[in-house]
Amino acid sequence: MKNLPNIALYAFGGICILQAISFLLFIESIVPYVFNTTPEGLEIAVLMHYAIAPLFLMMGLVAFFATTFELESKRKVILAVIIGYVPLFLVFNYFMGLEVMNAGVETYILDIICFFLSLVAYLSSSKRSN
């Protein structure tokens, strides 16, 4: 599985870039299905997604560009993804308990897949680098 780090980086990068594009193009139609709140709350949710869309674009591009790095540098980028997912999953767990959110595990399935793919890629590449 020599290409597993690249596969993980492409998957993470692709998902981040697609999320950034979807936030910019479709968030106004998505937000009412995800949030149970007032019109003002929905507007805040839309604005917050517009604000984080460039962040997702940056993360996706970093992951894509990292596919050309040496193995040890790829491992560091993948480790950063893994570390970043840990508090994100805590936030997701909190969101699932809120009445204002229509969020379940299925809402975060792509993130769960990316996390486990990154974890497997990181662990498998550490065996080769030693």
Side-chain angles (χ1 to χ4, degrees), residues 87-98 103 108:
L88 186 63
F89 286 142
L90 295 173
V91 171
F92 287 167
N93 185 52
Y94 177 71
F95 282 174
M96 288 190 299
L98 296 177
Y108 310 115

XYZ file of all heavy atoms in Angstrom, residues 87-98 103 108:
120
model
N -10.708 16.874 18.146
C -11.645 17.849 18.715
C -12.873 18.060 17.833
O -13.958 18.365 18.341
C -10.823 19.137 18.837
C -9.654 18.954 17.949
C -9.410 17.486 17.839
N -12.716 17.868 16.518
C -13.867 18.010 15.635
C -14.931 16.969 15.967
O -16.124 17.271 16.002
C -13.436 17.894 14.173
C -14.522 18.155 13.135
C -15.022 19.592 13.229
C -13.987 17.867 11.740
N -14.511 15.732 16.248
C -15.479 14.694 16.618
C -16.145 15.008 17.959
O -17.313 14.675 18.158
C -14.821 13.318 16.645
C -14.538 12.766 15.272
C -13.388 12.049 15.033
C -15.418 12.956 14.224
C -13.109 11.541 13.775
C -15.161 12.449 12.957
C -14.000 11.743 12.740
N -15.431 15.641 18.873
C -16.049 16.075 20.130
C -17.135 17.109 19.858
O -18.216 17.063 20.459
C -14.997 16.626 21.088
C -13.949 15.630 21.584
C -12.873 16.347 22.398
C -14.596 14.523 22.390
N -16.862 18.030 18.943
C -17.860 19.043 18.560
C -19.044 18.368 17.874
O -20.199 18.694 18.148
C -17.230 20.128 17.662
C -18.282 21.040 17.076
C -16.208 20.923 18.443
N -18.771 17.420 16.978
C -19.853 16.702 16.304
C -20.737 15.996 17.327
O -21.967 16.011 17.210
C -19.299 15.667 15.327
C -18.703 16.230 14.071
C -17.938 15.430 13.257
C -18.903 17.551 13.691
C -17.387 15.917 12.086
C -18.350 18.058 12.531
C -17.593 17.229 11.721
N -20.130 15.378 18.324
C -20.895 14.696 19.362
C -21.785 15.690 20.107
O -22.948 15.399 20.404
C -19.953 13.975 20.323
C -20.694 13.158 21.340
O -21.551 12.355 20.995
N -20.365 13.363 22.600
N -21.250 16.856 20.403
C -22.029 17.904 21.060
C -23.188 18.353 20.170
O -24.324 18.496 20.623
C -21.120 19.082 21.411
C -21.843 20.255 22.019
C -22.362 20.191 23.308
C -22.021 21.423 21.294
C -23.031 21.262 23.870
C -22.690 22.504 21.849
C -23.191 22.421 23.132
O -23.866 23.484 23.671
N -22.911 18.559 18.888
C -23.952 18.980 17.943
C -25.099 17.979 17.879
O -26.263 18.355 17.770
C -23.384 19.147 16.535
C -22.608 20.418 16.315
C -21.945 20.613 15.121
C -22.543 21.420 17.270
C -21.230 21.777 14.882
C -21.834 22.583 17.054
C -21.176 22.763 15.850
N -24.785 16.686 17.913
C -25.827 15.669 17.792
C -26.790 15.688 18.970
O -27.909 15.209 18.851
C -25.199 14.279 17.624
C -24.574 14.111 16.254
S -24.047 12.433 15.849
C -22.834 12.086 17.094
N -26.377 16.259 20.083
C -27.251 16.334 21.249
C -28.090 17.599 21.324
O -28.902 17.742 22.239
N -27.906 18.508 20.396
C -28.629 19.780 20.433
C -29.948 19.690 19.665
O -30.010 19.112 18.585
C -27.780 20.898 19.813
C -26.492 21.259 20.520
C -25.742 22.315 19.728
C -26.778 21.762 21.929
N -28.604 16.812 13.170
C -27.350 16.148 12.833
C -27.276 14.793 13.512
O -27.482 14.683 14.715
C -26.174 17.009 13.264
N -21.997 13.127 9.344
C -20.545 13.233 9.439
C -19.817 12.019 8.865
O -18.633 11.827 9.131
C -20.147 13.435 10.907
C -20.935 14.545 11.556
C -21.825 14.297 12.589
C -20.820 15.855 11.101
C -22.554 15.322 13.168
C -21.548 16.889 11.672
C -22.405 16.607 12.699
O -23.134 17.618 13.269
